[in-house]
Amino acid sequence: MIYNTLAPVGVKKFTSREHGLKRIWKLIQELPPSDAPRTSKKDTVIGMLQREQGATLEELMMATGWQAHSVRGFISTQRKEYSIQRHQRTEDSIAYYATKK
């Protein structure tokens, strides 16, 4: 329950949906602003591909929450700006590497 992760004291059940939404909204408004810059999934994937060891399809899927076909599609669109290589890491693991053209 979202409320229990934000509130100092948790609840099992609200008296009504409207009452619950009001209490959750009040807690959200009291949260401190986040100073951490947001990183886009594009930046995350490119950063992982530019690491020395590169990144496997599974690692990219875990980092972004994307499905395999989405990761592969994104990588193929980046071929305009980056040189993408595939290397066999182990018997069943292929790593992708990207270098700026």
Side-chain angles (χ1 to χ4, degrees):
M1 183 183 259
I2 294 172
Y3 183 83
N4 290 341
T5 60
L6 299 173
V9 178
V11 296
K12 285 190 177 189
K13 187 175 174 181
F14 292 114
T15 54
S16 70
R17 176 180 229 146
E18 183 178 315
H19 180 69
L21 288 173
K22 285 180 183 177
R23 289 179 68 178
I24 290 171
W25 183 246
K26 183 179 177 191
L27 284 173
I28 290 172
Q29 300 232 327
E30 294 172 357
L31 289 173
S34 174
D35 293 335
R38 286 187 55 155
T39 304
S40 69
K41 289 184 181 181
K42 174 184 177 179
D43 293 338
T44 300
V45 171
I46 297 298
M48 291 176 72
L49 293 175
Q50 290 182 325
R51 298 183 304 190
E52 184 177 322
Q53 70 273 20
T56 64
L57 182 63
E58 291 77 21
E59 291 169 346
L60 295 169
M61 289 169 58
M62 291 290 287
T64 60
W66 292 345
Q67 294 183 4
H69 67 277
S70 299
V71 173
R72 286 190 206 100
F74 175 78
I75 289 173
S76 70
T77 64
Q78 298 306 305
R79 293 186 187 275
K80 297 173 192 168
E81 296 180 49
Y82 296 90
S83 174
I84 309 287
Q85 295 90 33
R86 292 176 43 179
H87 295 284
Q88 192 87 24
R89 270 197 195 165
T90 62
E91 281 186 19
D92 59 342
S93 178
I94 295 174
Y96 294 90
Y97 300 88
T99 52
K100 191 81 170 167
K101 286 187 178 180

